[in-house]
Every structure is written in C-alpha cells, then in structure tokens.
Amino acid sequence: MNLKQLACSLVDSHKDELFALSDAIWKEPELGFEEFKAHQLLTDYLEKKGFVVERSYTGVKTAFRATFGSGRPNVCVICEYDALPDIGHACGHNLIAEAGVAAGLGLKAALESCQGGLKGRVTVLGTPAEEGGGGKVLLIENGAFDDVDVAMMVHPYPQNVMVPEYLATLRQIVTYTGKASHAAAFPWEGVNALDAAVTAYSSISVLRQQMKPSCRVHGVIKEGGVKPNIIPERAVMEYQIRAPTVCELDELEAKVRACFEAAAKSTGCQVRIESTSRPYSNLITNNTVAMLFAENMGGGIEWKASPVMGSTDMGNVSHLVPAIHPCFEIGRGEAVNHTRDFTALANRPEAHVQAVRFAKGMACTGIDLLATQGLLEKLKT
C-alpha cells in the first residue's frame, strides 16, 4: 500500500466519526466568533487523534491550530464552521470542517508511516467567522500563516468548480444625519435623512449601468425614520461592494463613496461612512496545486467553469501563500448557497460522502507537496 492509498484508507475507516462531527455542527449552528461548541468538538477530536492542539489560537477565542510532524514543509488544511443567521448552515461550513479534519487525518497517517522518508508537518487550522467576520484576515494579522507553505480547503456548492472566481469585497455602514421636524406643520424646518439614503440608493442603481459585468454592489436601508409625520433625522444603509481584484475594488469603492457623499450634499445632511468588517481579497488559485488536486481526484468528476461567485477570506490567504479552494457539488443543483434548501442539503448522507471524497483529494495533494523535492519552491516562483 503506497502513501496515498494509506491516507485514503485511513480517512475511509473514520468516515462514521467524521459524519458525526459534521452532523453535530450542523445541528447546533453558531454565528461567527461564537462557534464555541464547534471549537470544542473539533479540538477534542483532533487531540484524541494525536494532534498537538492549540485552542483559541493567537488569542482568537474560537480559532484553533492542530499540528502533527515538525519542521517544513508545512501543509495547512483549513476548517470553517460558522453558520448564517436564521438559516443555519446554508453555506455548508459543517462539511468544510469535516473535510479539513479528514484531510488532516490522512496526511497524519502518511507522515506517521515514514514510508519514503516523508518529512514535514500537517496543520489543521480552524478559522472562525468566514461569513463577514474575516476570521482568516485576523489570523493573518496575528501571524498564524507565517510558517505555512501551502493552504487548502474545499467548499460545498451546486456544482464542481476547480478554480472558483471569488471577488474582493468590503462592507460599509453609511449613516445620514439630518434634522427632525413636523412633516405637515413645519417640513421646511427639517433636513430629511431618508431622502439622502434614497438618493444614494438611486445613484448607485444608476452607477450599475457603467459597472463591469463582474462587479457587484448591493445594499439595504436599515433605518429610515420612526413615524410618517416626523421628518427622519437619521437613516442608515449597509452596503457590500465587490470586484474581481483589490485594485478594481478600490476604484469601485471611490465611485460608490461619491454617490454617498453627493446624496448628503444635495439634501443638506451629514454623512458618516464606516467599514464594518475586514476587507476580503480576491481568490488567487495556485495552478500547480490545482492541477495536482484534479489529478488526485481522478476521473468521473465534471468540472464546471466558475461563474462570478461571492467572496471569501480565503482570498486573503491566497495572496500570502499558494492556495486552492475547489468547490464540490452537493444536491445536483437542487438549491444554491445561502438558502434554507441548501441548509437541508448540507446534512444529507451524499453531501458527507462528497466532503470525504474531496478531503482525500486534499490529503493526496498534500502528500505530493511533502514528497516531491523542489515542488514547494516551484510554487512560489
């Protein structure tokens, strides 16, 4: 039995335990930076399997690092486990956690066997709050990726995508402040903050006509007054801006900001624009690692070209180290991410089978990276 067969066999022998981990996370969804149960469940399991576990890694309460081996190269497989408000694991992060742990187990088995003199380290990194919280960005700032040579994760999706197009993004809260007055008796004494919000909303809608097809701007008005007979003195909007690259995001943000500021000027309001989360970079897929992964997955997979997708803090990781983020199909297109139907799909038995299958692909790719002399140096050139 060669190293890859050994890793895959080990993963298969643990599939019931892996399914149980994913199921437990799915049944108790937790929001970003509040994933305390998932954190304990995953760290306890990895520790039991012989990993050296660091809980609340780098001071982030629900992050963790689990390692086996020593020195370099250091192959990192990533877990996510946060859910969405109200609709639970509608992005299937329970499956991402399952796949990350499974890949870690497979790589650990290969390192333990010492066949072929395999040396290096495997890291299973638990990264909280992908859904807008920027957990990986915070971990980057704290140095969690300083000794990582390559990073991999997989993500459930309606189809199989080897090189997904994830956009750079930022989120902003825009607050307009005006002056309240009686809307019937003394409307001229008021300064209407809701008018400013509506004007900005309309201006951005017009701006979309001149935006590149791969750019996205979407937002909501969260506050717009308290009663119809009071001129609204406060209005609050939340917007998300996305573009294919960080540079294009900066250009688009400047145009959107001009819409916000022009609306304030035209209505006589004051405006405050604040970032609500750490910006996400676009995803850069390392082609060499992607080719290795595709080879290790073997035949029988219909890879689809990537549509414009959402955004992920794995993008920030990919600007720092060679990385891949393939998507695996669950549900045969029955539902799309961030819907209640996708939540249901994320705990079907066939979804677990797919997560384990792609985990074995990561484990085998990790073995290639550890065993092939000079390969990691090639990735960084």
Side-chain angles (χ1 to χ4, degrees):
M1 184 182 292
N2 64 33
L3 286 176
K4 291 182 180 180
Q5 291 170 334
L6 177 69
C8 291
S9 177
L10 187 284
V11 171
D12 284 335
S13 71
H14 286 73
K15 64 183 180 181
D16 289 343
E17 294 177 4
L18 294 164
F19 291 2
L21 279 177
S22 179
D23 179 65
I25 294 169
W26 184 88
K27 286 177 176 175
E28 296 198 59
E30 299 167 294
L31 300 181
F33 296 121
E34 299 175 6
E35 314 98 322
F36 297 106
K37 292 177 181 177
H39 175 270
Q40 181 174 346
L41 186 72
L42 293 167
T43 55
D44 286 353
Y45 182 80
L46 287 162
E47 195 167 57
K48 180 181 175 183
K49 296 300 176 182
F51 286 83
V52 176
V53 174
E54 298 167 82
R55 294 172 172 82
S56 300
Y57 186 52
T58 73
V60 181
K61 289 185 178 179
T62 53
F64 67 84
R65 182 172 76 166
T67 57
F68 182 83
S70 61
R72 308 288 280 269
N74 180 11
V75 175
C76 177
V77 287
I78 287 176
C79 296
E80 295 175 358
Y81 33 89
D82 60 320
L84 289 157
D86 299 326
I87 55 176
H89 279 288
C91 214
H93 289 190
N94 57 303
L95 298 169
I96 298 173
E98 177 181 0
V101 170
L105 291 175
L107 272 167
K108 176 177 177 287
L111 282 168
E112 278 182 313
S113 77
C114 295
Q115 291 181 28
L118 196 66
K119 295 179 181 179
R121 183 172 21 144
V122 56
T123 294
V124 181
L125 192 65
T127 63
E130 187 278 333
E131 296 289 355
K136 294 181 193 64
V137 185
L138 181 56
L139 288 169
I140 288 171
E141 293 169 359
N142 293 349
F145 288 89
D146 288 355
D147 64 348
V148 167
D149 292 296
V150 63
M152 298 183 285
M153 64 171 285
V154 294
H155 197 299
Y157 192 66
Q159 55 193 17
N160 298 307
V161 180
M162 185 63 251
V163 184
E165 185 182 354
Y166 282 102
L167 305 175
T169 189
L170 57 83
R171 299 182 186 218
Q172 294 178 328
I173 289 283
V174 182
T175 304
Y176 290 103
T177 303
K179 181 183 176 184
S181 183
H182 197 292
F186 306 104
W188 53 87
E189 295 291 339
V191 178
N192 197 318
L194 179 59
D195 281 350
V198 171
T199 300
Y201 189 96
S202 299
S203 296
I204 291 167
S205 295
V206 172
L207 174 65
R208 287 194 184 94
Q209 213 176 151
Q210 275 70 51
M211 282 166 42
K212 294 178 180 178
S214 53
C215 292
R216 301 285 187 270
V217 180
H218 29 268
V220 294
I221 298 174
K222 302 182 75 173
E223 296 179 36
V226 291
K227 291 185 70 176
N229 63 344
I230 302 173
I231 298 292
E233 65 178 349
R234 173 182 164 91
V236 179
M237 313 173 77
E238 183 171 5
Y239 264 83
Q240 186 162 9
I241 306 167
R242 306 185 200 246
T245 66
V246 173
C247 289
E248 290 173 285
L249 180 65
D250 291 341
E251 293 173 4
L252 182 57
E253 191 276 337
K255 294 178 181 179
V256 173
R257 180 177 288 267
C259 293
F260 294 144
E261 292 173 344
K265 187 172 183 179
S266 67
T267 58
C269 291
Q270 301 296 312
V271 63
R272 185 174 73 252
I273 304 169
E274 303 169 284
S275 294
T276 61
S277 64
R278 297 167 180 84
Y280 287 7
S281 300
N282 55 294
L283 180 74
I284 302 174
T285 295
N286 184 279
N287 290 329
T288 301
V289 182
M291 288 176 61
L292 287 172
F293 181 83
E295 290 172 7
N296 282 306
M297 289 302 300
I301 295 180
E302 185 180 3
W303 297 107
K304 299 287 188 178
S306 177
V308 172
M309 301 174 75
S311 305
T312 172
D313 54 5
M314 187 65 173
N316 300 65
V317 176
S318 74
H319 284 248
L320 191 67
V321 300
I324 60 169
H325 185 296
C327 295
F328 62 92
E329 174 266 319
I330 65 170
R332 301 183 183 277
E334 288 180 35
V336 297
N337 300 63
H338 290 210
T339 63
R340 294 185 186 278
D341 288 340
F342 201 85
T343 303
L345 289 177
N347 204 35
R348 285 187 183 175
E350 54 266 35
H352 296 297
V353 170
Q354 279 284 79
V356 168
R357 183 183 185 188
F358 274 64
K360 290 188 285 189
M362 286 196 289
C364 292
T365 303
I367 291 169
D368 286 332
L369 294 166
L370 292 171
T372 307
Q373 188 173 4
L375 181 55
L376 281 169
E377 288 72 19
K378 179 183 176 183
L379 300 183
K380 297 175 184 179
T381 58

